[in-house]
Amino acid sequence: MRIGVIGTGRIGTIHANTLSRHREVGSLILTDADGARAQELAHRLGETAAPGVDEIFKWGVDAVVITTATSAHAELIGRAARSGLPVFCEKPIALDLPGTLHAIAEVETAGTILQMGFQRRFDAGYTGAREAVRSGRLGRLHTVRALTSDQAPPPAEWLPLSGGLYRDTLIHDFDMLRWVTGHEVVDVYAAGSDAGPPMFRAAGDVDTAAALLTLDDGTLATATATRLNGAGYDVRMELAGELDQVVVGLDDRTPIASTEPTGPPAADKPWTGFLERFGPAYEAELAAFIEVVRGERANPCDGREALQALRIAEACEVSRREHRAVRLAEIPGGTSAAAF
């Protein structure tokens, strides 16, 4: 199998490394807006660098992996669909609903494959939580608490391009909320704070956010995120039911200290970022993509699944801006094709 990788930045480099080692991948063609960066990576991996995106499609590939800046995702997804090529794309499809819906329509019209990069679906902890919920071990689920906390903020120049804390960060927690519980969000109430570094206010973003979400079975969920968690990178999900409760992300590297005399000690080596924390999941999602392309399994996260997570993020942005509860029915694109 020959795969074109468009974008060789941080996550593109990791994906290229993973693909180059996969037994079903014969070769890669790499390209990037920074041609020297693509050339250097290709040389290091023993692969081929292309001068631009056009060559990816002209030289002939069996599939495309898109890890460019978000602003280019939708156009590249559409181009691949029109070329009849399966696509793996890092989230999101686009930063707005019209762009997302248009790209999904192109894929569905072409009848091609689009797998989105929501890597937490391949994490052992979240998979275990899903199994605990679906098996009935927890009994009736009544409360879910999700959080994502970055150790340090991203570069100031990147913030205006990120889509904001809900679309960039909490969108993963929203996807997990649906995937783990098997239920849809019906309404949200969200708030955000920009009391931290002034670069967040300058970008029209917030550095810390919280949302209260109600699921269609009455389960209550909270989701919080911050860019300023100095203790380390912290991603957790707690699920409490009438019979039992479980937690994702609690291990000897969780950056939290107990104030109880007999509580566990602080982590000696706390997680520093998402690439380290979810390394195995990133590899697993690409292995799944290759299986999807080969017709060996169903798509684990298609464009419609990504759309539903974006709709929740959009509802949170409206709620934060207008200081009111927002029903998901207010947000376009509500026909769900969730693979529960």
Side-chain angles (χ1 to χ4, degrees):
M1 186 182 298
R2 193 182 201 192
I3 296 179
V5 178
I6 306 175
T8 57
R10 182 171 57 170
I11 192 65
T13 296
I14 287 174
H15 286 343
N17 273 278
T18 297
L19 291 167
S20 70
R21 299 192 306 267
H22 197 284
R23 65 182 182 278
E24 299 294 345
V25 177
S27 62
L28 303 178
I29 302 176
L30 312 176
T31 193
D32 192 275
D34 183 341
R37 183 165 65 182
Q39 285 278 2
E40 190 279 329
L41 180 60
H43 177 74
R44 178 151 49 86
L45 296 179
E47 304 290 356
T48 301
V53 173
D54 288 347
E55 285 72 19
I56 293 285
F57 294 96
K58 289 178 182 177
W59 292 357
V61 294
D62 300 302
V64 175
V65 171
I66 300 171
T67 59
T68 61
T70 297
S71 58
H73 286 185
E75 191 276 329
L76 290 170
I77 289 170
R79 185 169 181 179
R82 294 189 297 273
S83 300
L85 291 172
V87 173
F88 176 93
C89 184
E90 278 300 319
K91 63 86 187 165
I93 294 174
L95 289 177
D96 59 11
L97 285 167
T100 299
L101 290 166
H102 180 73
I104 290 173
E106 289 215 74
V107 171
E108 293 179 347
T109 297
T112 53
I113 294 165
L114 170 61
Q115 180 182 327
M116 295 303 299
F118 281 94
Q119 85 284 351
R120 294 188 193 182
R121 292 182 177 223
F122 298 88
D123 177 70
Y126 283 104
T127 300
R130 176 183 164 100
E131 292 171 352
V133 172
R134 306 307 178 86
S135 70
R137 169 185 163 187
L138 307 185
R140 184 187 69 85
L141 191 66
H142 54 74
T143 307
V144 182
R145 307 175 190 91
L147 67 88
T148 296
S149 300
D150 292 331
Q151 184 176 28
E157 61 270 18
W158 183 80
L159 286 175
L161 309 175
S162 71
L165 193 57
Y166 292 105
R167 297 186 192 95
D168 177 58
T169 299
L170 277 168
I171 195 168
H172 284 287
D173 297 279
F174 300 150
D175 181 60
M176 283 299 92
L177 186 58
R178 297 180 63 247
W179 188 74
V180 169
T181 68
H183 289 281
E184 298 291 351
V185 174
V186 294
D187 61 51
V188 308
Y189 191 92
S193 171
D194 62 3
M199 65 181 184
F200 291 97
R201 293 185 290 280
D205 196 5
V206 294
D207 57 72
T208 303
L212 172 64
L213 311 99
T214 305
L215 306 190
D216 57 17
D217 66 342
T219 299
L220 294 180
T222 59
T224 64
T226 184
R227 302 284 197 188
L228 303 164
N229 198 57
Y233 180 71
D234 192 5
V235 170
R236 278 177 281 141
M237 174 181 270
E238 299 174 7
L239 300 107
E242 292 182 346
L243 299 180
D244 200 358
Q245 63 178 344
V246 293
V247 58
V248 178
L250 182 61
D251 59 21
D252 60 0
R253 298 191 65 182
T254 304
I256 191 167
S258 174
T259 59
E260 299 295 335
T262 58
D268 291 332
K269 188 181 179 183
W271 297 108
T272 59
F274 62 92
L275 294 176
E276 181 187 30
R277 165 65 177 83
F278 290 110
Y282 281 115
E283 293 194 12
E285 68 178 354
L286 286 177
F289 176 60
I290 292 170
E291 291 175 355
V292 172
V293 173
R294 289 169 56 84
E296 297 171 353
R297 67 172 293 173
N299 191 340
C301 188
D302 64 16
R304 291 282 171 184
E305 289 287 277
L307 170 63
Q308 299 312 317
L310 178 61
R311 290 181 65 242
I312 300 170
E314 290 287 329
C316 287
E317 284 288 3
V318 174
S319 178
R320 178 180 73 89
R321 186 170 60 249
E322 299 182 5
H323 302 285
R324 68 177 178 90
V326 175
R327 293 191 63 79
L328 263 290
E330 299 178 43
I331 309 300
T335 302
S336 175
F340 292 141

